[in-house]
Amino acid sequence: MDVISRLERFELVASTNDLVTGWLRGGVPEVCVAVADRQSAGRGRLGRTWQAPAGAALLASLGFRPTWLGPDRAWRLAAVVALAAADASEHVAGLPDGTIRLKWPNDLVVAFGADKRALGGAANLAPDRPLDVRKLAGLLGESDGLGGDDPTVAIGLGLNADWPAAEFPPELAAGMTSLREASGGRPIDRDDLLDAFLDRMATRVEALRSGYFDLEGWHERQLTEGRLVRLDPIEGRPEVVRAVGVDGLTGALLVEDERGRERNVLAGEIHHLRLAPPESGDVPDAVRL
């Protein structure tokens, strides 16, 4: 893993994103990686918090100095981290390929059937099939100086690993899962998960440096494609639209309204994206994420 310049593990930190950002500002080259057993001030998107008991989740941040990547393509750093995390998670948990999906813009999710077993494969995840979708992981990207001489990007990952459902926070239990639960109770070794993730991340970052982005893989893992979704914008009223794809140039979600008009939605424009059932624009609790 020659791509990694610095890798440190901590028992407790405030925020792994803050750690790698500080390293980058101090001159540490990319890719620097901070891993923690626990965070006291872990952040999610739009100021949300991310908490997990010690040993229950893989908490890591990766620091990049992407002078080699155009500022309009910086979103691909989070995309390759997400793809590496999905690949590694399926490998370590013994899950079929495609079980872990991406819910635009920044979540890794698993869909479950009526028998409480994780679903994989395009047929099981057809857009006209109601799904019990649960959040497995979230990413947080923070950048500074994009387009300048010394850009920095920190990508934080919180991935629920060896966390039994009986210990999920009650207020979050209905919408979350872990690799332990998705695999039917298989114990998850976080060291194995970290090693598998870093190996796959390094391969994908090296490919990105050479100009290759796995657009096909990114498209194939998208859960929202073809589905009705509810967008809760930062400004304006919520609306239900159909997600028809993702834009490989901008990272935007492509949506179509009830009149068939298409447009791009950028991650910075919305608070939430929630799956809506195929037959209506309502969003029941079972599919809220």
Side-chain angles (χ1 to χ4, degrees), residues 182-199:
S183 65
R186 177 175 178 166
I188 305 299
D189 188 300
R190 283 190 311 145
D191 290 337
D192 290 345
L193 180 59
L194 176 62
D195 289 344
F197 165 64
L198 292 178
D199 282 343

Side-chain angles (χ1 to χ4, degrees), residues 87-197:
D87 292 343
S89 295
E90 289 173 348
H91 172 74
V92 172
L95 297 170
D97 292 347
T99 301
I100 297 172
R101 296 281 168 156
L102 307 180
K103 185 176 79 71
W104 188 93
N106 67 329
D107 289 342
L108 278 68
V109 298
V110 178
F112 289 84
D115 59 359
K116 306 301 182 183
R117 297 184 65 178
L119 299 174
N124 290 328
L125 299 173
D128 60 350
R129 177 175 181 172
L131 298 175
D132 178 12
V133 179
R134 295 172 180 256
K135 184 172 178 176
L136 174 70
L139 281 81
L140 173 66
E142 297 176 313
S143 63
D144 184 52
L146 293 180
D149 295 334
D150 189 24
T152 60
V153 175
I155 306 294
L157 170 68
L159 198 166
N160 299 332
D162 198 41
W163 193 346
E167 298 177 11
F168 289 172
E171 68 275 15
L172 301 175
M176 67 179 286
T177 190
S178 66
L179 288 180
R180 185 184 185 100
E181 293 302 317
S183 65
R186 177 175 178 166
I188 305 299
D189 188 300
R190 283 190 311 145
D191 290 337
D192 290 345
L193 180 59
L194 176 62
D195 289 344
F197 165 64

